[in-house]
Amino acid sequence: MMYMIDWITCCCYMMLRKFHYADWDAKYTAILNSSAVCGFLFIAVVDMILLIVSPERLQYLYDYPRTRYLLSGFIILFLLIIRYYYLRKDAIPLMEAVFKSKGWDKGWLLFVASAVILVGSIVIGFFVAQYVKSQGIVFG
């Protein structure tokens, strides 16, 4: 799982470096992108699990959507910042070496991959929300 998150982060990081972003800005923006992707997917997974296990708890979460989305987004962003700035400072450079060795360091390929992953996670979140609505959960 962390390999996939590193892959998403590195893909965005290398794309931004191709557009001549500063190293720090590119790294932080890539982490923001990864936290958005992970946030959408995390919310979708939690929604599906709670829909099966406890629909009344899911309804409670949907009664306070701003708090839920902001809290989950900040928690994921915080965990990714801890990971990339304190625990595994070498994760992005190591993944960057893998990208270069496989020839995946082309700007257009990185842009398409980053865009497809981000838009795909938003679409998955949208479809899960529509499914949850169809099951009788009312958004707050």
Side-chain angles (χ1 to χ4, degrees):
M1 180 69 172
M2 288 311 295
Y3 183 82
M4 291 171 43
I5 294 171
D6 289 346
W7 192 90
I8 293 167
T9 306
C10 187
C11 189
C12 184
Y13 171 79
M14 290 182 67
M15 176 201 56
L16 293 171
R17 292 295 289 158
K18 293 282 184 185
F19 292 124
H20 303 293
Y21 267 60
D23 184 53
W24 187 86
D25 289 338
K27 187 175 184 180
Y28 189 70
T29 305
I31 291 170
L32 283 174
N33 178 57
S34 294
S35 72
V37 169
C38 292
F40 284 122
L41 296 177
F42 174 75
I43 289 170
V45 167
V46 168
D47 284 359
M48 293 308 293
I49 291 171
L50 284 177
L51 187 62
I52 294 167
V53 174
S54 177
E56 55 277 349
R57 286 198 179 150
L58 181 61
Q59 180 61 57
Y60 177 78
L61 288 176
Y62 275 108
D63 289 339
Y64 305 101
R66 287 187 187 129
T67 305
R68 175 180 183 224
Y69 293 136
L70 288 175
L71 186 61
S72 62
F74 283 132
I75 288 171
I76 290 172
L77 178 62
F78 177 74
L79 291 174
L80 287 176
I81 287 174
I82 294 285
R83 173 173 169 72
Y84 290 117
Y85 283 107
Y86 297 105
L87 299 177
R88 288 286 316 269
K89 293 179 182 181
D90 63 338
I92 292 176
L94 288 174
M95 188 60 70
E96 188 175 9
V98 170
F99 270 63
K100 288 181 180 180
S101 71
K102 294 186 179 189
W104 295 343
D105 58 341
K106 296 168 183 59
W108 64 270
L109 179 67
L110 297 169
F111 177 77
V112 168
S114 295
V116 166
I117 290 168
L118 182 59
V119 171
S121 68
I122 293 169
V123 168
I124 289 170
F126 175 77
F127 282 127
V128 166
Q130 294 305 312
Y131 179 73
V132 167
K133 277 185 186 179
S134 74
Q135 298 300 313
I137 303 297
V138 179
F139 290 86

